[in-house]
Amino acid sequence: MTLQGVILDIDGTLVLSNDAHAEAWVEAFKKFGHQIEFEQVRPMIGMGGDKIIPKLVPGLSSEEGEGKKLADYRKELFLNKYASTITPANGARELLLKMQDEGLRLVVASSAKSEELSVLLKIAEIDDLLEETTTSSDADSSKPDPDIVKAALNKSQLQPDRVIMLGDTPYDIESANAVGVDVIAFRCGGFDDNQLAKAIAIYDDPAELLAQYDHSPIS
């Protein structure tokens, strides 16, 4: 079956932002009186705040009360303090240009809020390459639930066996696999090969996939 499109995770996949997200969470939790260590939250990056907050502080919800205030504060911290520390993943723009040249449709499937996603796409230097994006507002539940990948499929109007997803976390893989989409994973998000074992291929970063493009599952 000929590949027609690629679903793109952004954080950790096309921008090196996962540590910055974790730092913002630690600072936000501290602001609201919760002592959460970096090592506790870092393995959860790739999930949305709707998952992270109740996992770390049972009883809190990102949708209401203190949990919503915490989530909103984390977003402001991320945008105003931590975003400036983020760099593009090696080869991100070049890989997307190659995929476009090959006639593949590109659609973003990110757990980020739309305001955050806009900043991240600019940092990755790919904001001019993408027309179709899905964000947390397009899904009831974040990864590892499949809602965001489903939304990306609906927006692109492509079948699961005609697309492949690029991601960097086990949550990307679980989310995509749940709706029949295979994943190519990148190590640059900070997860190891055991955690990414259900991907159909693993590369260090976009640059390595680009270098091996003709012999990769995407070609």
Side-chain angles (χ1 to χ4, degrees):
M1 190 84 59
T2 304
L3 202 63
Q4 295 180 335
V6 181
I7 296 174
L8 303 166
D9 175 61
I10 300 299
D11 283 299
T13 301
L14 300 177
V15 289
L16 305 181
S17 56
N18 288 351
D19 283 355
H21 277 296
E23 295 283 7
W25 278 115
V26 169
E27 186 169 341
F29 276 112
K30 186 176 181 180
K31 167 82 171 177
F32 287 85
H34 305 287
Q35 192 64 38
I36 302 295
E37 301 299 328
F38 179 87
E39 292 75 18
Q40 289 175 269
V41 70
R42 181 59 177 81
M44 297 182 182
I45 299 303
M47 300 181 185
D50 60 319
K51 299 286 197 304
I52 290 173
I53 289 175
K55 280 182 179 292
L56 291 172
V57 183
L60 281 191
S61 165
S62 64
E63 300 301 317
E64 60 186 12
E66 181 186 302
K68 185 177 188 311
K69 290 178 183 176
L70 193 158
D72 290 345
Y73 182 69
R74 181 220 60 85
K75 185 182 85 167
E76 294 306 315
L77 269 179
F78 181 77
L79 290 171
N80 297 323
K81 180 177 180 179
Y82 290 100
S84 62
T85 69
I86 297 170
T87 58
N90 191 22
R93 181 177 176 84
E94 293 81 4
L95 176 61
L96 266 59
L97 287 169
K98 171 67 173 177
M99 294 189 296
Q100 284 189 331
D101 286 345
E102 295 292 316
L104 295 169
R105 291 180 63 186
L106 307 179
V107 56
V108 171
S110 171
S111 294
K113 304 285 187 187
S114 57
E115 190 179 357
E116 291 177 73
L117 182 62
S118 176
V119 170
L120 293 169
L121 295 180
K122 284 184 174 64
I123 292 170
E125 300 172 357
I126 58 173
D127 53 308
D128 60 322
L129 303 181
L130 300 167
E131 296 178 4
E132 298 173 312
T133 62
T134 54
T135 66
S136 59
S137 62
D138 295 300
D140 291 331
S141 297
S142 68
K143 301 168 190 172
D145 288 337
D147 301 32
I148 290 170
V149 179
K150 278 184 186 175
L153 288 172
N154 289 337
K155 193 162 284 194
S156 64
Q157 297 185 312
L158 294 174
Q159 296 302 308
D161 61 351
R162 294 296 188 98
V163 303
I164 205 162
M165 181 169 177
L166 304 184
D168 69 297
T169 75
Y171 317 118
D172 294 321
I173 300 168
E174 184 178 343
S175 176
N177 286 176
V179 290
V181 174
D182 289 331
V183 177
I184 293 174
F186 295 145
R187 300 182 183 95
C188 54
F191 292 84
D192 64 34
D193 286 14
N194 286 334
Q195 294 167 301
L196 303 174
K198 292 185 178 178
I200 59 169
I202 306 173
Y203 298 90
D204 286 342
D205 53 26
E208 186 179 24
L209 172 56
L210 180 60
Q212 300 181 30
Y213 193 93
D214 291 342
H215 304 287
S216 75
I218 214 166
S219 65

